[in-house]
Amino acid sequence: MAQVTEKGIEDILYEEGKLTKDKVSMVKMEAINTGKQVEDILLARNFASLEDISRARGAILGIDYSDPTTKPIPADMLAKIPEPVARRYTLIPFAYDPTSNTLSVAMADPLDLQILEFVERKSASKIKPYISTPDLINRAITEQYSQTLTTQVSAALQDVGGTVEAKEEIADLGKIEEVIKEAPVAKIVSTLLEYAIKAKASDVHVEALEDRTRVRYRIDGILQERVVLPHKVHEALLSRIKILSNLKIDEKRIPQDGRFTFKLADNIVDLRVATLPTVHGEKVVMRLLPKAASAPTLADLGLRGTALKNFEENVTKPHGIILITGPTGSGKTTTLFAVLSKINSPRINIVTLEDPVEYQIPGINQVQINPAAGLTFASGLRSFLRQDPNVIMVGEVRDGETANLAIQASLTG
């Protein structure tokens, strides 16, 4: 533990040779004249890096500095503090002393006693705080917790061993069914989905490459590669997902769509599954649709002030059209879910046309399109106009006919 000192950050940096005497004087004078924090002045003038400032701040507080990105952190240590907690409070455990039950934790704010007390209860360990920068901690969280996923999957792969061979699986359908019922393959799928829920991913991509299978997660709208699997387990992995989704495991030539439900503790998630044949094997994308106990409000989604007021006024009007657009995973469906839940009432007739129905809302007439039976967005919208609707929600406007019908419906009220 470092010794507490009454010196300022600029004095510590001067002693370490990071600042000249002239720069120290300049920083002190500017702090007096402007009332700005010394740290802000040092960063604004590029006199010192954030790491240097954190080290100096630690020296003043008597708290040691740590860079959690320098070495791997064991999975059992990371398990003491879940990733969502680490991200929320910008901290990460990096060392553990079992004799004294002391967990060393790098923190952006090691003086926050409430966080320290919470982490002590969560980890059931004594906490020894270290100071670090938010950037280093967040980078370590991303790297270390993703490696934990790889470790868990690798353990399951060791159980699978060399018994899963692509050529044998393709030739013998009965053998596939036996393989996908084995615990190791089921455990791989379960581990991948557990990580998706904990990381709040919107989609999971399982892709066959020439020499391997990669798994990517769409988190905050950005695809991130998290784990790589040997190509020999790809067929068994896909077959396991297909059986869960009630898809044909022997059909690999055409795309298929299905869905299933996955439960993790108190979290129940619907997964919409879509397969696609590619050059190196089938690809599967699983869209995660959490079953929320109650619909999120528009305020929960981040709308505030004038924007929220204007939007709420417009969604309650008896005529007009509202278009919600955005990239994959941006929250279009969740926003529509929030709007429909807000205006849902026995006094109005709400009908929706979706592909597929992602969120089921009590009291609303929801229809899933079925092109094979002739029910498309255009034909469904045409039929809706004879259902005496007050509100029509069209999941996707894919062609000119659907767009034209939507505009005509909005004009007639």
Side-chain angles (χ1 to χ4, degrees):
M1 179 71 73
Q3 296 296 316
V4 179
T5 177
E6 295 182 357
K7 296 177 182 177
I9 289 177
E10 67 279 14
D11 299 318
I12 300 293
L13 292 174
Y14 171 70
E15 291 176 359
E16 294 177 349
K18 305 288 186 181
L19 290 181
T20 64
K21 187 172 290 188
D22 290 340
K23 287 182 178 179
V24 171
S25 300
M26 188 186 305
V27 169
K28 288 184 175 181
M29 186 62 68
E30 185 172 343
I32 293 171
N33 293 335
T34 64
K36 292 181 180 178
Q37 294 291 326
V38 169
E39 295 98 316
D40 296 335
I41 297 171
L42 291 169
L43 289 172
R45 291 185 171 274
N46 292 322
F47 284 171
S49 67
L50 196 56
E51 287 81 0
D52 292 334
I53 293 172
S54 292
R55 286 180 186 274
R57 185 164 167 250
I60 293 171
L61 299 173
I63 299 174
D64 293 325
Y65 175 86
S66 175
D67 181 351
T69 64
T70 55
K71 57 184 178 181
I73 303 171
D76 57 342
M77 204 174 296
L78 291 171
K80 288 183 172 292
I81 299 179
E83 184 178 0
V85 174
R87 288 193 180 279
R88 180 175 182 181
Y89 298 115
T90 318
L91 53 85
I92 187 169
F94 65 88
Y96 178 67
D97 182 2
T99 57
S100 61
N101 189 29
T102 301
L103 186 66
S104 298
V105 180
M107 306 176 65
D109 186 4
L111 295 183
D112 194 319
L113 298 180
Q114 285 186 326
I115 294 178
L116 285 170
E117 184 180 348
F118 172 75
V119 174
E120 280 190 347
R121 292 200 309 269
K122 192 76 176 175
S123 63
S125 306
K126 298 174 184 176
I127 299 300
K128 182 180 180 181
Y130 286 74
I131 193 168
S132 191
T133 68
D135 288 345
L136 289 175
I137 293 173
N138 287 325
R139 193 196 314 166
I141 290 172
T142 300
E143 293 173 355
Q144 301 293 342
Y145 281 95
S146 66
Q147 288 176 7
T148 301
L149 172 66
T150 303
T151 303
Q152 292 172 343
V153 173
S154 297
L157 284 172
Q158 288 177 0
D159 294 336
V160 174
T163 60
V164 183
E165 294 294 336
K167 291 181 181 177
E168 294 178 0
E169 292 167 343
I170 293 172
D172 190 346
L173 180 60
K175 193 166 184 177
I176 294 180
E177 293 180 349
E178 291 177 8
V179 169
I180 60 102
K181 289 176 184 176
E182 291 180 0
V185 176
K187 186 178 179 182
I188 293 173
V189 175
S190 178
T191 302
L192 295 175
L193 293 178
E194 284 180 20
Y195 181 83
I197 294 172
K198 291 176 181 177
K200 297 184 178 179
S202 61
D203 301 86
V204 182
H205 293 238
V206 181
E207 301 165 305
L209 304 181
E210 185 175 3
D211 57 348
R212 66 189 190 279
T213 294
R214 72 174 178 185
V215 182
R216 296 191 292 172
Y217 295 85
R218 189 175 293 280
I219 301 172
D220 295 330
I222 300 172
L223 275 175
Q224 302 176 20
E225 185 174 310
R226 280 289 185 260
V227 67
V228 175
L229 304 171
H231 190 69
K232 65 182 181 181
V233 303
H234 184 80
E235 292 288 342
L237 195 64
L238 264 289
S239 296
R240 170 68 180 170
I241 295 171
K242 282 183 175 182
I243 281 193
L244 289 171
S245 311
N246 291 319
L247 301 179
K248 297 178 180 178
I249 62 175
D250 59 336
E251 180 56 81
K252 308 178 191 301
R253 301 165 300 172
I254 60 174
Q256 296 186 75
D257 294 314
R259 63 192 304 158
F260 67 94
T261 301
F262 183 79
K263 184 176 181 181
L264 175 64
D266 295 330
N267 297 316
I268 302 176
V269 178
D270 276 337
L271 288 106
R272 189 182 73 189
V273 179
T275 68
L276 181 71
T278 67
V279 173
H280 300 297
E282 283 185 288
K283 170 183 177 177
V284 64
V285 175
M286 294 177 281
R287 166 64 59 88
L288 279 73
L289 305 168
K291 282 189 173 181
S294 58
T297 65
L298 294 171
D300 291 337
L301 298 181
L303 284 170
R304 296 287 187 275
T306 306
L308 176 60
K309 182 182 178 182
N310 291 340
F311 192 52
E312 287 181 333
E313 287 178 355
N314 281 285
V315 298
T316 55
K317 287 182 179 178
H319 53 77
I321 186 170
I322 293 176
L323 295 175
I324 297 180
T325 63
T328 301
S330 61
K332 301 183 294 296
T333 303
T334 305
T335 303
L336 285 169
F337 179 45
V339 170
L340 292 178
S341 298
K342 177 178 176 56
I343 65 175
N344 189 17
S345 165
R347 293 173 295 179
I348 61 175
N349 180 23
I350 302 176
V351 288
T352 74
L353 195 58
E354 306 171 59
D355 182 28
V357 175
E358 295 187 4
Y359 294 104
Q360 296 183 16
I361 310 172
I364 293 180
N365 303 290
Q366 297 175 265
V367 178
Q368 180 168 324
I369 70 164
N370 186 355
L375 179 56
T376 64
F377 281 109
S379 64
L381 188 52
R382 207 176 288 111
S383 300
F384 277 5
L385 298 177
R386 298 190 290 273
Q387 291 290 319
D388 185 31
N390 296 102
V391 177
I392 298 175
M393 192 279 278
V394 182
E396 297 178 37
V397 180
R398 296 177 176 174
D399 51 55
E401 184 182 8
T402 306
N404 183 59
L405 286 168
I407 292 172
Q408 291 299 322
S410 69
L411 292 173
T412 57

